[in-house]
Amino acid sequence: MLYIEHLFLWAVLYSFLGWVYESILVSIQERRPVNRGFLNGPLCPIYGAGAVLAIVVLTPLRNIPAAPVVMFLLGALGASALEYATSWTMERIFHARWWDYSHFRFNINGRICLIGAIVFGVFGIIIVDVAQPWVERWTAMIPMPAFHILAAVLALACLVDFIVTVVGFIGFHERLGEFTRLLERGKERMADRIDLGGALQQYTDAAADRLQTYRDAATGKVRRLSENLPDMPVPVPVTRLYGRLLGALSYQQRRMLRSFPRMTSPEYGDLIRKLREKLVRK
């Protein structure tokens, strides 16, 4: 039980360090402050899980021949497998993909990529050979009663945070479906206001000797207008709907849009992108 408490406390610490790393990295990429992380608190649990996995698996290999190479390869493969499984599971549960590496070369389904695997492999060596010995000395200095209390308080805080996050985000996919139907109705109403007959009349009222020519031109124009209508820019009144749609999202749903700039959905990716752009500009 004591070892489990140690692993949990180490996981929390590395989750915090992962949150710092991710927040700085993504903030630089997005050129705006980004509070990265699935939870409300300053934690990225996937980093804590990956670090604990590295500690358990890689530490016994520190003294074998070619240890750095073996540790690097196992760290890269293990972390990539964890990241892929996490991405797949979260997409199945929430119907959204939280990160996407499709813009990187040598990626697998956009869930993992080569550069990420290399970084994780290096991190695995740093954690086991550099960070973890110091962390173990630090945790050994905590009096046992305080250690148990700290572990219990952090476990309770993480559990509450997880529940609040999940409950607040549930229904995001369904809400996007409602938004899509609302926007489609708005576009249909705007399309009905377009006076196609007026466009035709503009040409048929021309000089009598060129009536047929203008009529043919008008017919072609109306046809092209009808064909291109679905691809036309969203009218201003419909654009304003995005602000109202954001107001209908929960705090957790809006937070996820900010925290994960590449979060997307197989069904509503374009809508998520437009909502995020509107949210970031506010």
Side-chain angles (χ1 to χ4, degrees):
M1 182 63 182
L2 182 60
Y3 183 61
I4 299 298
E5 287 181 306
H6 275 90
L7 290 179
F8 171 73
L9 198 61
W10 297 338
V12 172
L13 174 61
Y14 288 114
S15 295
F16 171 73
L17 295 177
W19 173 83
V20 172
Y21 165 76
E22 282 279 335
S23 296
I24 293 175
L25 178 64
V26 178
S27 295
I28 293 174
Q29 292 173 342
E30 295 296 312
R31 299 180 181 179
R32 63 180 177 87
V34 177
N35 182 11
R36 189 73 161 171
F38 177 75
L39 300 178
N40 291 275
L43 299 174
C44 281
I46 191 172
Y47 279 85
V52 168
L53 182 64
I55 292 168
V56 173
V57 175
L58 301 183
T59 300
L61 306 177
R62 293 176 63 185
N63 298 320
I64 67 172
V69 175
V70 175
M71 292 169 62
F72 171 81
L73 292 176
L74 287 179
L77 292 174
S80 296
L82 175 63
E83 186 176 31
Y84 193 99
T86 302
S87 172
W88 184 89
T89 302
M90 293 181 70
E91 183 174 345
R92 290 299 178 274
I93 294 175
F94 299 109
H95 305 284
R97 179 171 292 194
W98 301 81
W99 57 84
D100 186 5
Y101 298 129
S102 298
H103 57 295
F104 285 103
R105 297 182 63 184
F106 309 112
N107 69 85
I108 300 179
N109 297 328
R111 301 185 190 278
I112 57 176
C113 64
L114 179 60
I115 185 64
I118 293 174
V119 171
F120 290 142
V122 173
F123 277 179
I125 296 176
I126 293 175
I127 288 172
V128 172
D129 285 343
V130 180
Q132 187 56 23
W134 179 87
V135 170
E136 290 183 8
R137 287 194 297 270
W138 175 76
T139 52
M141 296 171 59
I142 303 176
M144 198 54 60
F147 181 85
H148 293 314
I149 294 174
L150 179 61
V153 170
L154 288 176
L156 180 60
C158 290
L159 178 61
V160 171
D161 194 344
F162 177 78
I163 293 174
V164 170
T165 299
V166 172
V167 171
F169 190 76
I170 285 177
F172 182 66
H173 182 262
E174 290 73 14
R175 187 59 58 88
L176 292 178
E178 296 172 1
F179 290 173
T180 299
R181 291 188 290 272
L182 179 62
L183 288 170
E184 288 175 351
R185 288 197 297 269
K187 290 180 181 180
E188 290 173 359
R189 286 195 294 268
M190 292 302 298
D192 291 340
R193 296 177 184 177
I194 298 177
D195 186 6
L196 299 182
L200 181 61
Q201 188 65 37
Q202 176 182 353
Y203 290 94
T204 56
D205 287 342
D209 58 329
R210 303 187 63 183
L211 178 61
Q212 187 61 43
T213 301
Y214 278 89
R215 181 176 297 164
D216 293 341
T219 302
K221 185 176 182 65
V222 171
R223 184 182 300 109
R224 289 192 299 273
L225 180 61
S226 300
E227 292 173 350
N228 295 330
L229 185 59
D231 299 324
M232 292 176 63
V234 179
V236 172
V238 177
T239 303
R240 292 174 182 169
L241 278 176
Y242 287 107
R244 299 179 183 177
L245 299 181
L246 283 173
L249 294 176
S250 69
Y251 167 77
Q252 298 296 338
Q253 292 165 349
R254 293 194 301 272
R255 183 177 67 83
M256 293 301 178
L257 287 176
R258 290 193 188 95
S259 299
F260 293 88
R262 295 195 177 276
M263 185 176 74
T264 186
S265 165
E267 298 179 64
Y268 307 117
D270 187 58
L271 176 58
I272 289 177
R273 178 182 59 80
K274 291 178 179 178
L275 288 172
R276 182 186 298 111
E277 291 174 353
K278 183 73 174 180
L279 183 63
V280 171
R281 287 198 300 266
K282 292 181 68 175

Coordinates of all heavy atoms in Angstrom, one line a residue, residues 98-162:
W98 N -8.9 14.7 -29.0 CA -8.3 15.8 -28.3 C -7.0 16.4 -28.8 O -6.7 17.5 -28.6 CB -8.1 15.3 -26.8 CG -9.4 14.9 -26.2 CD1 -10.0 13.6 -26.4 CD2 -10.3 15.6 -25.4 NE1 -11.2 13.6 -25.7 CE2 -11.4 14.7 -25.1 CE3 -10.3 16.9 -24.9 CZ2 -12.4 15.2 -24.3 CZ3 -11.3 17.3 -24.1 CH2 -12.4 16.4 -23.9
W99 N -6.3 15.6 -29.5 CA -5.1 16.1 -30.2 C -5.0 15.4 -31.6 O -5.5 14.3 -31.8 CB -3.8 15.9 -29.4 CG -3.6 14.5 -29.0 CD1 -2.9 13.5 -29.7 CD2 -3.9 13.8 -27.8 NE1 -2.9 12.3 -29.1 CE2 -3.5 12.5 -27.8 CE3 -4.6 14.3 -26.6 CZ2 -3.7 11.6 -26.8 CZ3 -4.8 13.3 -25.6 CH2 -4.3 12.0 -25.7
D100 N -4.3 16.0 -32.5 CA -4.2 15.5 -33.8 C -2.8 15.8 -34.4 O -2.4 17.0 -34.5 CB -5.3 16.1 -34.7 CG -5.3 15.5 -36.1 OD1 -4.6 14.5 -36.3 OD2 -6.1 16.0 -36.9
Y101 N -2.0 14.8 -34.7 CA -0.7 14.9 -35.2 C -0.6 14.7 -36.8 O 0.4 14.4 -37.3 CB 0.3 13.9 -34.6 CG 0.4 14.1 -33.1 CD1 0.3 13.0 -32.2 CD2 0.7 15.4 -32.5 CE1 0.4 13.2 -30.8 CE2 0.9 15.5 -31.2 CZ 0.8 14.4 -30.3 OH 0.9 14.6 -29.0
S102 N -1.8 14.9 -37.4 CA -1.8 14.6 -38.8 C -0.9 15.6 -39.6 O -0.5 15.3 -40.7 CB -3.3 14.8 -39.4 OG -4.1 13.8 -38.7
H103 N -0.6 16.7 -39.0 CA 0.2 17.7 -39.7 C 1.7 17.4 -39.6 O 2.6 18.1 -40.2 CB -0.1 19.1 -39.2 CG 0.1 19.3 -37.8 ND1 -0.7 18.7 -36.8 CD2 1.0 20.0 -37.0 CE1 -0.3 19.0 -35.6 NE2 0.7 19.8 -35.7
F104 N 2.0 16.4 -38.7 CA 3.4 15.9 -38.6 C 3.7 14.7 -39.5 O 2.8 13.9 -39.8 CB 3.7 15.5 -37.2 CG 3.8 16.6 -36.2 CD1 2.8 16.9 -35.3 CD2 5.0 17.4 -36.1 CE1 2.9 18.0 -34.4 CE2 5.1 18.4 -35.2 CZ 4.1 18.7 -34.4
R105 N 4.9 14.7 -40.0 CA 5.3 13.5 -40.8 C 5.5 12.3 -39.9 O 5.7 12.4 -38.7 CB 6.6 13.8 -41.5 CG 6.5 14.9 -42.6 CD 7.8 15.1 -43.3 NE 8.2 13.9 -44.1 CZ 9.3 13.8 -44.8 NH1 10.2 14.8 -44.7 NH2 9.5 12.7 -45.4
F106 N 5.3 11.1 -40.5 CA 5.4 9.8 -39.7 C 4.5 9.8 -38.5 O 5.0 9.5 -37.4 CB 6.9 9.7 -39.3 CG 7.9 9.8 -40.4 CD1 8.8 10.9 -40.4 CD2 7.9 9.0 -41.5 CE1 9.7 11.1 -41.5 CE2 8.8 9.1 -42.5 CZ 9.7 10.2 -42.5
N107 N 3.2 10.0 -38.8 CA 2.2 9.8 -37.7 C 1.4 8.6 -38.0 O 1.3 8.1 -39.1 CB 1.4 11.1 -37.6 CG 0.4 11.2 -38.8 OD1 -0.7 10.6 -38.8 ND2 0.9 12.0 -39.8
I108 N 0.7 8.1 -37.0 CA -0.2 6.9 -37.1 C -1.6 7.4 -36.7 O -1.9 7.7 -35.6 CB 0.3 5.8 -36.2 CG1 1.7 5.3 -36.5 CG2 -0.7 4.6 -36.3 CD1 2.2 4.2 -35.7
N109 N -2.4 7.5 -37.8 CA -3.8 8.0 -37.6 C -3.9 9.3 -36.9 O -5.0 9.6 -36.3 CB -4.6 6.9 -36.8 CG -4.7 5.6 -37.6 OD1 -4.7 5.6 -38.8 ND2 -4.7 4.5 -36.9
G110 N -2.9 10.1 -36.9 CA -2.9 11.4 -36.2 C -2.9 11.3 -34.7 O -2.9 12.3 -34.0
R111 N -2.8 10.1 -34.1 CA -2.8 10.0 -32.7 C -1.4 10.0 -32.1 O -1.2 10.5 -31.0 CB -3.5 8.6 -32.3 CG -4.9 8.5 -32.8 CD -5.5 7.2 -32.3 NE -6.8 6.9 -33.0 CZ -7.9 7.4 -32.6 NH1 -8.0 8.3 -31.6 NH2 -9.1 7.1 -33.3
I112 N -0.4 9.5 -32.8 CA 1.0 9.6 -32.3 C 1.8 9.9 -33.5 O 1.4 9.8 -34.6 CB 1.4 8.2 -31.7 CG1 1.3 7.1 -32.7 CG2 0.7 7.9 -30.4 CD1 1.8 5.7 -32.2
C113 N 3.1 10.4 -33.2 CA 4.0 10.7 -34.3 C 5.4 10.4 -33.9 O 5.7 10.3 -32.7 CB 3.8 12.2 -34.7 SG 4.2 13.4 -33.4
L114 N 6.3 10.4 -34.8 CA 7.7 10.1 -34.6 C 8.4 11.0 -33.6 O 9.1 10.6 -32.7 CB 8.5 9.9 -35.9 CG 9.9 9.6 -35.8 CD1 10.1 8.3 -35.1 CD2 10.6 9.6 -37.1
I115 N 8.2 12.3 -33.9 CA 8.9 13.3 -33.1 C 8.4 13.2 -31.6 O 9.2 13.4 -30.7 CB 8.6 14.8 -33.6 CG1 9.4 15.8 -32.8 CG2 7.1 15.1 -33.6 CD1 10.9 15.6 -32.9
G116 N 7.1 12.9 -31.4 CA 6.6 12.8 -30.0 C 7.2 11.5 -29.4 O 7.6 11.6 -28.2
A117 N 7.4 10.5 -30.1 CA 8.0 9.2 -29.6 C 9.4 9.5 -29.2 O 9.9 9.0 -28.1 CB 7.9 8.1 -30.6
I118 N 10.2 10.3 -30.0 CA 11.5 10.6 -29.6 C 11.6 11.4 -28.4 O 12.4 11.1 -27.5 CB 12.2 11.3 -30.8 CG1 12.3 10.4 -32.0 CG2 13.6 11.9 -30.4 CD1 12.8 11.1 -33.3
V119 N 10.7 12.4 -28.2 CA 10.7 13.2 -27.0 C 10.4 12.4 -25.8 O 11.0 12.5 -24.8 CB 9.7 14.4 -27.2 CG1 9.5 15.1 -25.9 CG2 10.1 15.3 -28.3
F120 N 9.4 11.5 -25.9 CA 9.1 10.6 -24.8 C 10.2 9.7 -24.4 O 10.4 9.4 -23.3 CB 7.8 9.8 -25.1 CG 6.6 10.7 -25.2 CD1 5.6 10.5 -26.2 CD2 6.4 11.8 -24.3 CE1 4.4 11.2 -26.2 CE2 5.2 12.6 -24.4 CZ 4.3 12.3 -25.3
G121 N 10.9 9.2 -25.4 CA 12.0 8.3 -25.2 C 13.1 9.0 -24.4 O 13.7 8.5 -23.4
V122 N 13.4 10.3 -24.7 CA 14.4 11.1 -24.0 C 13.9 11.4 -22.6 O 14.6 11.3 -21.6 CB 14.7 12.4 -24.8 CG1 15.6 13.3 -23.9 CG2 15.3 12.1 -26.1
F123 N 12.6 11.7 -22.5 CA 12.0 12.0 -21.2 C 12.1 10.8 -20.3 O 12.4 10.9 -19.1 CB 10.6 12.4 -21.3 CG 10.4 13.8 -21.7 CD1 9.1 14.4 -21.8 CD2 11.4 14.7 -21.8 CE1 8.9 15.7 -22.1 CE2 11.3 16.0 -22.1 CZ 10.0 16.5 -22.3
G124 N 11.9 9.6 -20.8 CA 12.0 8.4 -20.0 C 13.4 8.2 -19.4 O 13.5 7.9 -18.2
I125 N 14.4 8.5 -20.1 CA 15.8 8.4 -19.6 C 16.0 9.5 -18.5 O 16.6 9.2 -17.5 CB 16.8 8.5 -20.7 CG1 16.7 7.3 -21.7 CG2 18.3 8.6 -20.2 CD1 17.6 7.4 -22.9
I126 N 15.6 10.7 -18.8 CA 15.8 11.8 -17.9 C 15.0 11.5 -16.6 O 15.6 11.7 -15.5 CB 15.3 13.1 -18.5 CG1 16.2 13.5 -19.7 CG2 15.3 14.2 -17.4 CD1 15.7 14.7 -20.4
I127 N 13.8 11.0 -16.7 CA 13.1 10.7 -15.4 C 13.8 9.6 -14.6 O 14.0 9.8 -13.4 CB 11.6 10.2 -15.8 CG1 10.8 11.4 -16.4 CG2 10.9 9.6 -14.6 CD1 9.5 11.0 -16.9
V128 N 14.2 8.5 -15.2 CA 14.7 7.4 -14.4 C 16.1 7.7 -13.9 O 16.4 7.4 -12.8 CB 14.8 6.1 -15.3 CG1 15.5 5.0 -14.6 CG2 13.3 5.7 -15.6
D129 N 17.0 8.4 -14.7 CA 18.4 8.6 -14.4 C 18.6 9.9 -13.6 O 19.6 10.0 -12.8 CB 19.3 8.5 -15.6 CG 19.5 7.1 -16.1 OD1 19.2 6.2 -15.4 OD2 19.9 7.0 -17.3
V130 N 17.8 10.9 -13.9 CA 18.1 12.2 -13.3 C 17.0 12.6 -12.3 O 17.3 12.9 -11.1 CB 18.1 13.3 -14.4 CG1 18.4 14.6 -13.8 CG2 19.2 12.9 -15.4
A131 N 15.8 12.7 -12.7 CA 14.7 13.2 -11.8 C 14.3 12.3 -10.7 O 14.2 12.7 -9.6 CB 13.5 13.6 -12.7
Q132 N 14.1 11.0 -11.0 CA 13.5 10.2 -10.0 C 14.4 9.9 -8.8 O 13.8 9.9 -7.7 CB 13.1 8.8 -10.6 CG 12.4 7.9 -9.7 CD 11.1 8.5 -9.2 OE1 10.5 9.4 -9.8 NE2 10.6 8.0 -8.1
P133 N 15.7 9.8 -8.9 CA 16.5 9.7 -7.6 C 16.3 10.9 -6.7 O 16.2 10.7 -5.5 CB 17.9 9.6 -8.2 CG 17.8 9.0 -9.5 CD 16.5 9.6 -10.1
W134 N 16.2 12.1 -7.3 CA 16.0 13.3 -6.5 C 14.6 13.3 -5.9 O 14.4 13.6 -4.7 CB 16.2 14.5 -7.3 CG 15.9 15.8 -6.6 CD1 16.8 16.5 -5.8 CD2 14.7 16.5 -6.5 NE1 16.2 17.6 -5.3 CE2 14.9 17.6 -5.7 CE3 13.4 16.3 -7.0 CZ2 13.9 18.6 -5.4 CZ3 12.4 17.2 -6.7 CH2 12.7 18.3 -5.9
V135 N 13.6 12.9 -6.7 CA 12.2 12.8 -6.2 C 12.1 11.8 -5.1 O 11.4 12.1 -4.1 CB 11.2 12.4 -7.4 CG1 9.8 12.2 -6.8 CG2 11.2 13.6 -8.4
E136 N 12.7 10.7 -5.2 CA 12.6 9.7 -4.1 C 13.3 10.2 -2.8 O 12.7 9.9 -1.7 CB 13.3 8.4 -4.6 CG 12.5 7.6 -5.7 CD 13.2 6.3 -6.0 OE1 14.2 5.9 -5.3 OE2 12.8 5.7 -7.0
R137 N 14.4 10.9 -2.9 CA 15.0 11.5 -1.7 C 14.0 12.5 -1.1 O 13.9 12.6 0.1 CB 16.3 12.1 -2.1 CG 17.4 11.1 -2.3 CD 18.8 11.8 -2.3 NE 18.9 12.8 -3.4 CZ 19.3 12.5 -4.6 NH1 19.7 11.2 -4.9 NH2 19.4 13.4 -5.5
W138 N 13.4 13.3 -1.9 CA 12.4 14.3 -1.4 C 11.2 13.7 -0.7 O 10.9 14.1 0.4 CB 12.0 15.2 -2.6 CG 11.0 16.2 -2.2 CD1 11.2 17.4 -1.5 CD2 9.5 16.1 -2.5 NE1 10.0 18.0 -1.3 CE2 9.0 17.3 -1.9 CE3 8.7 15.2 -3.1 CZ2 7.6 17.5 -2.0 CZ3 7.4 15.4 -3.2 CH2 6.8 16.6 -2.6
T139 N 10.6 12.7 -1.3 CA 9.5 12.1 -0.7 C 9.9 11.3 0.5 O 9.0 11.2 1.5 CB 8.8 11.1 -1.7 OG1 9.8 10.2 -2.3 CG2 8.1 11.9 -2.8
A140 N 11.1 10.8 0.6 CA 11.5 10.1 1.8 C 11.7 11.0 3.0 O 11.6 10.6 4.2 CB 12.9 9.4 1.6
M141 N 11.8 12.3 2.8 CA 11.9 13.3 3.8 C 10.6 13.7 4.5 O 10.6 14.3 5.5 CB 12.6 14.5 3.3 CG 14.0 14.3 2.8 SD 14.7 15.8 1.9 CE 14.6 17.0 3.2
I142 N 9.5 13.3 3.8 CA 8.2 13.7 4.4 C 7.8 12.7 5.5 O 7.9 11.5 5.3 CB 7.1 13.6 3.3 CG1 7.5 14.5 2.1 CG2 5.7 13.9 3.8 CD1 6.5 14.4 0.9
P143 N 7.4 13.2 6.7 CA 7.0 12.3 7.8 C 5.9 11.4 7.3 O 5.0 11.9 6.6 CB 6.6 13.3 8.9 CG 7.3 14.6 8.5 CD 7.4 14.6 7.1
M144 N 5.9 10.2 7.8 CA 4.9 9.3 7.3 C 3.4 9.7 7.6 O 2.6 9.6 6.6 CB 5.1 7.9 8.0 CG 4.4 6.7 7.3 SD 4.9 6.7 5.5 CE 6.6 6.5 5.5
P145 N 3.0 10.2 8.7 CA 1.7 10.7 8.9 C 1.3 11.8 7.8 O 0.2 11.7 7.2 CB 1.6 11.2 10.3 CG 2.7 10.5 11.0 CD 3.8 10.3 10.0
A146 N 2.2 12.7 7.7 CA 2.0 13.8 6.7 C 1.9 13.2 5.3 O 1.1 13.7 4.4 CB 3.0 14.9 6.8
F147 N 2.7 12.2 5.0 CA 2.7 11.6 3.7 C 1.4 10.9 3.4 O 0.8 11.1 2.3 CB 3.8 10.5 3.6 CG 3.9 9.8 2.3 CD1 4.7 10.4 1.3 CD2 3.3 8.6 2.1 CE1 4.8 9.7 0.1 CE2 3.4 8.0 0.8 CZ 4.2 8.5 -0.2
H148 N 0.8 10.2 4.3 CA -0.5 9.6 4.1 C -1.6 10.6 3.9 O -2.5 10.5 3.1 CB -0.8 8.7 5.4 CG 0.0 7.5 5.5 ND1 0.4 6.7 4.4 CD2 0.7 7.0 6.6 CE1 1.2 5.7 4.9 NE2 1.4 5.9 6.2
I149 N -1.5 11.7 4.7 CA -2.5 12.8 4.6 C -2.4 13.4 3.2 O -3.5 13.7 2.6 CB -2.4 13.8 5.7 CG1 -2.7 13.1 7.1 CG2 -3.3 15.0 5.5 CD1 -2.4 14.0 8.3
L150 N -1.2 13.7 2.8 CA -1.0 14.4 1.5 C -1.5 13.5 0.4 O -2.2 14.0 -0.5 CB 0.5 14.7 1.3 CG 0.9 15.3 0.0 CD1 0.2 16.7 -0.1 CD2 2.4 15.4 -0.1
A151 N -1.2 12.2 0.4 CA -1.7 11.3 -0.6 C -3.2 11.2 -0.6 O -3.8 11.3 -1.7 CB -1.1 9.9 -0.4
A152 N -3.8 11.2 0.6 CA -5.3 11.1 0.6 C -6.0 12.4 0.1 O -6.9 12.3 -0.7 CB -5.7 10.8 2.1
V153 N -5.4 13.5 0.5 CA -6.0 14.8 0.1 C -5.9 15.0 -1.5 O -6.8 15.4 -2.1 CB -5.3 16.0 0.8 CG1 -5.7 17.3 0.2 CG2 -5.7 16.0 2.3
L154 N -4.7 14.6 -2.0 CA -4.5 14.8 -3.4 C -5.4 13.8 -4.2 O -5.9 14.1 -5.3 CB -3.0 14.5 -3.8 CG -2.1 15.7 -3.4 CD1 -0.6 15.3 -3.7 CD2 -2.4 16.9 -4.1
A155 N -5.5 12.6 -3.7 CA -6.4 11.6 -4.3 C -7.8 12.1 -4.4 O -8.5 12.0 -5.4 CB -6.3 10.3 -3.6
L156 N -8.3 12.6 -3.3 CA -9.7 13.2 -3.2 C -9.8 14.3 -4.2 O -10.8 14.4 -4.9 CB -10.0 13.6 -1.8 CG -11.4 14.1 -1.6 CD1 -12.5 13.1 -1.9 CD2 -11.6 14.6 -0.1
A157 N -8.9 15.2 -4.2 CA -8.9 16.4 -5.0 C -9.0 16.0 -6.5 O -9.7 16.5 -7.3 CB -7.8 17.3 -4.8
C158 N -8.1 15.0 -6.9 CA -8.1 14.6 -8.3 C -9.4 13.9 -8.6 O -9.9 14.0 -9.8 CB -6.9 13.6 -8.5 SG -5.3 14.4 -8.4
L159 N -10.0 13.1 -7.7 CA -11.2 12.4 -8.0 C -12.3 13.4 -8.2 O -13.1 13.3 -9.2 CB -11.6 11.5 -6.8 CG -12.9 10.7 -7.0 CD1 -12.9 9.8 -8.2 CD2 -13.2 9.9 -5.7
V160 N -12.4 14.4 -7.3 CA -13.5 15.4 -7.5 C -13.3 16.2 -8.8 O -14.3 16.5 -9.5 CB -13.5 16.4 -6.3 CG1 -14.4 17.6 -6.5 CG2 -13.8 15.7 -5.0
D161 N -12.1 16.6 -9.1 CA -11.8 17.3 -10.3 C -12.2 16.5 -11.5 O -12.8 17.0 -12.5 CB -10.3 17.6 -10.4 CG -10.0 18.7 -11.4 OD1 -10.8 18.9 -12.3 OD2 -8.9 19.3 -11.4
F162 N -11.9 15.2 -11.5 CA -12.2 14.3 -12.6 C -13.7 14.2 -12.8 O -14.2 14.3 -13.9 CB -11.6 12.9 -12.4 CG -12.0 11.9 -13.4 CD1 -11.3 11.9 -14.7 CD2 -13.0 11.0 -13.2 CE1 -11.6 11.0 -15.6 CE2 -13.3 10.0 -14.2 CZ -12.6 10.1 -15.4

